[in-house]
Amino acid sequence: MKQKSQSVMRFLTGSAVPILFITISVIAIPLSNYSGLYLAREIVTRLCRDSFLVLSLLIPVMAGMGINFGMTLGAMAGQIGLIFITDWGINGAFGLFMAALIGTPIAILLGYFGGIVLNRAKGREMITSMMLSYFVSGIYQFFMLYLCGNIIPIKSPKLLLSRGYGIRNAITLNVAGGFDKLIRIPIGKVYVPFGTILLIAAACIFIMWFRRTKLGQDMRAVGQDMGVADASGIKVEKTRIESIIISTMLACYGQIIYLQNIGTLNTYNGADQASLFAAASLLVGGATVSKATIPNAIIGTALFHLMFVVMPMAGKNLTGSAMLGEYFRMFISYGVVTIALVLHAWKRHKDKEMGRALLREISSENTGK
Amino acid sequence: MSKENVLLSVENVGKQFEGNRVLKNINFSLEKGKILGLVGENGAGKSTLMKIIFGMNEIADTGGYEGEIYLDGEKINFKSPLDALNAGIGMVHQEFSLIPGFTAYENILLNMEKTKPSIISKIFGKKFETLDRQEMKKIAKDAIDTLGVQLDENALVSEMPVGHKQFIEIAREIDREKVKLLILDEPTAVLTESEAEILLKAMRKLADSGISIIFISHRLREIIEVCDTIVVLRDGVVVVEKPAEGLNVRQIAQWMVGRDVAGRKAVQVRDVDISESNKDVILDVEHLWVDMPGETVKDVSFSVKRGEIFGIGGLAGQGKLGISNGILGLFPAGGKVLLNGKELPLNSTFNALKGGIAFVSEDRRGVGLLLDESIDWNIAFNAMQVQNRFIKKKLGGLIKWRDDKAMKECADKYVNALQIKCTSTKQHARQLSGGNQQKVCLAKAFAMEPSLLLVSEPTRGIDVGAKALVLDSLRRHNNENDTTIIMVSSELEELRSICDRIAIVSEGKIAGILSPDADTAEFGLLMSGLSNLNEEGEEQ
Ligand SMILES: Nc1ncnc2c1ncn2[C@@H]1O[C@H](COP(=O)(O)OP(=O)(O)OP(=O)(O)O)[C@@H](O)[C@H]1O
Ligand SMILES: [Mg+2]
């Protein structure tokens, strides 16, 4: 009986974060007065828009590096790709693939750089990757603001600021919907963009396959115990860099998918919040900084965005003030990460306690009978 | 000894850590297919010597070593353990190096995984080959079978008993191709007798297949049983190198310590009234059950008088370890435990500690020490956390700070009493030898000045000479501080040398409680669970 209550406890602490957010949603949905159909449409759109970005966080978690806030670097690479193909006037899904092609080497380069930096900050990867993204963001802005149109040729005046160089802040993408419109089939009254879903499925399959490769196995080993992995001859630093490179590349593609859905590119601050929202989604899905699965990513994305849609309206209806509704939205997106991280710290504490109990179990002398 | 048959020869090797010399002029050699037993007191330098041979970074980081080592006639100079592995040396450390979240077979084949190529891997390289888990399991199974032990290659290492982990580590080392030399640093310390037996057999088998083995153990019987030659280290010097044939435990122990160890006069024994009429009971255990895997306690009742030393013995796996772990609340437990007549809530470690109980676990690796903290800090830690000791209050308690001086005094006291071998009490626990870490665990419990002290396997990893020291210190603590002690041990002689009464656990129950002077045969009967049968037989 004790054992049973312990396993129930384990489940509860394990899913504390998703349970909290489901509870909040259940209370907020009726308050918002949104119809089921509206919510279904919103969720489908947002799942397709964001899942890929969230998936890009999984591999560094596996390698023990926590949540890679440096995925912003990949998002920037994707945006650079998009700006070029927009300038060259390439349209549709082909244009998006071209953007990915341009973004890939940039993402690899940035990921390599990020990996090296994170190797110098073992144990503090998350905060370091956050600082890193601010730093690289500065370089990115310099590139966009001064180099583009000056040194880097940009033809289209629609992209350039009136002074003749530097990229405008809001760019309408003519590749908008490139993936979404590919295979768009209505299910009931909800349009489902199967083109994008195929890409997300491909990412999931890639991650599942990757976990089974030698490199994936090395990352798991490094993630669990760098010392032991090193002693067995696994190149720890290299493996960690590779995990960041892969994450950055996926984030690059994720941002392209995200922006083709949105339709406009916010050149200077579009990438900033990508990592914040992706991290929040993953944590809401019940992932921890040391263990994250594909279901965590998908469920988390759905849950987080459900809240994101419902809360402002619920807030407005509750208080009668649109201002407060807006405030609610901001509050949620930042609050979520904080709450999820705090809950996660608590959960880790609990896990540790249980782990300690487990450890003792293991250490018991056992004849094996 | 024919020169070409020599696999390893160590010549004039020396080592110092920041001016602290631990090895001096070491010379010995090892032939192919032979087992060399390396013995010596705690801190004699055994592990350090092995780390040198294995090229551990710790050695280079602390200034390297002197002298030469030859493997197969070639001088070795390993930059890292990887070079050693490639040269055919495998080592199983005193501390485990397994990945807890991996299964047994994943660990055995760590970084030696079998993979299948695919189109993608042909383009992007071998790293992208997928694992051939079927093949990996087969190889792991073969290695496990070679050792002759029963264990599931699919089990998670984190859920395995310590003994099995040890086998996994060894399986990993022998699985490497071209392994020539296997270094085993106290592999049997965590094994039960039957497991140790299996391991010794496996070692013999490996040696017969041509692999040379260096075997470190404090159980001298094992050394005599399995080794071809023995090397005795004392204070960093080789004092004896001899064929093991015909040696006895007492002789080896004498070489280790440098004086005769037998005939120790026990500390004067205090009289504690252990008869039924003494109602001054400190701990009363009624119908205790504990769900500790491998050490299940079914129904145990006993009471401990204030001031006595109460021993708990029995064969491995019968439940003796479960009792102390259950009382401390480390495993799900039920029944009733009264401490000083007040009921102790089970399943709550902190309450147990608060109630004046201190515990030394049989598992020093798991719950023991803060390795990167100093010795004095380790010793004072629990006392400070649980009892607010070693804390100075200023301004009427508004400001509190650590009383470093008191902490140091306390640490010095125990370093002396237990002869913990260290450069100072500021040395980090990580830098201590295995046996000395165990002593720090004991000191930590003493420092809490508990009214009831539970010690489990207190002499594990302690050398023959220091064993007596540890036992004496328990006795002395009992004498001077009026501390009641419950001692759990698998070594009957140890229990008999200091306990007032000894309970023998069999099949999760107490088979009987005997006086230490009782006949050895009586203990044997209780342990084997046959005593009842026998009594019936006598009545007939
Ligand atoms: N990294 C280190 N820095 C400083 N001193 C060290 C370090 N490692 C070991 N020592 C010291 O070297 C001495 C020998 O330690 P070693 O671990 O070789 O002993 P041992 O013979 O294996 O003992 P045991 O039987 O207790 O395991 C000890 O006094 C220890 O404190
Ligand atoms: Mg040692």
Side-chain angles (χ1 to χ4, degrees), chain A residues 94-300:
Chain A
F94 177 70
L96 292 170
F97 280 121
M98 284 305 290
L101 210 62
I102 298 166
T104 304
I106 305 173
I108 292 177
L109 215 69
L110 289 174
Y112 179 73
F113 169 68
I116 290 177
V117 173
L118 295 190
N119 269 341
R120 308 214 157 183
K122 295 202 183 89
R124 305 184 304 274
E125 285 92 352
M126 289 209 281
I127 187 74
T128 311
S129 66
M130 218 180 270
M131 301 315 290
L132 182 74
S133 67
Y134 290 128
F135 171 67
V136 173
S137 170
I139 300 179
Y140 166 86
Q141 290 182 10
F142 174 75
F143 175 84
M144 288 295 178
L145 214 47
Y146 294 102
L147 299 191
C148 281
N150 253 342
I151 295 168
I152 316 274
I154 300 281
K155 303 186 305 268
S156 163
K158 270 199 290 184
L159 288 179
L160 291 179
L161 294 168
S162 50
R163 68 178 183 202
Y165 65 90
I167 306 288
R168 279 174 199 273
N169 188 27
I171 294 170
T172 313
L173 296 172
N174 43 22
V175 284
F179 292 141
D180 285 351
K181 285 182 199 146
L182 268 187
I183 319 168
R184 217 170 135 98
I185 301 168
I187 295 182
K189 285 180 179 159
V190 183
Y191 278 91
V192 183
F194 280 96
T196 314
I197 289 181
L198 274 177
L199 291 172
I200 294 169
C204 293
I205 291 170
F206 167 77
I207 290 168
M208 286 192 287
W209 167 81
F210 183 77
R211 283 188 205 274
R212 293 174 43 220
T213 62
K214 168 77 176 117
L215 185 56
Q217 183 80 353
D218 287 357
M219 280 183 197
R220 283 178 59 213
V222 168
Q224 293 210 16
D225 194 322
M226 276 191 253
V228 174
D230 184 48
S232 75
I234 295 173
K235 299 225 166 25
V236 172
E237 308 232 313
K238 189 160 167 258
T239 308
R240 284 162 53 98
I241 293 177
E242 282 160 352
S243 88
I244 295 295
I245 291 181
I246 294 175
S247 166
T248 315
M249 280 165 67
L250 289 180
C252 163
Y253 309 145
Q255 183 75 353
I256 291 174
I257 291 176
Y258 174 83
L259 288 174
Q260 62 88 30
N261 178 282
I262 298 268
T264 51
L265 165 62
N266 237 330
T267 313
Y268 294 103
N269 46 24
D272 285 358
Q273 288 176 338
S275 64
L276 185 72
F277 288 170
S281 301
L282 193 61
L283 292 171
V284 168
T288 68
V289 292
S290 53
K291 189 167 189 302
T293 61
I294 294 174
N296 288 150
I298 305 289
I299 293 171

Side-chain angles (χ1 to χ4, degrees), chain B residues 445-492:
Chain B
F446 286 151
M448 286 180 73
E449 296 178 359
S451 53
L452 178 64
L453 176 60
L454 274 156
V455 286
S456 197
E457 305 284 9
T459 60
R460 176 176 283 174
I462 302 272
D463 68 60
V464 277
K467 262 186 184 158
L469 197 81
V470 165
L471 295 177
D472 283 350
S473 73
L474 282 171
R475 188 39 118 180
R476 194 167 323 114
H477 208 79
N478 164 264
N479 255 338
E480 289 166 6
N481 305 35
D482 201 20
T483 308
T484 313
I485 297 179
I486 299 179
M487 166 161 144
V488 182
S489 171
S490 36
E491 296 194 29
L492 186 60

Side-chain angles (χ1 to χ4, degrees), chain A residues 214 218 224 360 362 364-365, chain B residues 101 113 158 160 325 460:
Chain A
K214 168 77 176 117
D218 287 357
Q224 293 210 16
R360 307 208 39 74
I362 303 151
S364 63
E365 280 192 45
Chain B
E113 291 91 350
S158 61
M160 277 186 184
N325 282 298
R460 176 176 283 174

Side-chain angles (χ1 to χ4, degrees), chain A residues 20-22 24-25 43 284 302-312 332 336:
Chain A
L20 175 75
F21 285 99
I22 289 173
I24 299 179
S25 305
I43 294 296
V284 168
L303 254 180
F304 176 69
H305 285 282
L306 180 64
M307 295 243 318
F308 208 85
V309 174
V310 167
M311 283 303 268
I332 294 166
V336 145

Side-chain angles (χ1 to χ4, degrees), chain A residues 5-23:
Chain A
S5 75
Q6 207 172 25
S7 71
V8 171
M9 263 303 279
R10 197 176 284 266
F11 173 77
L12 283 182
T13 59
S15 352
V17 182
I19 288 173
L20 175 75
F21 285 99
I22 289 173
T23 316

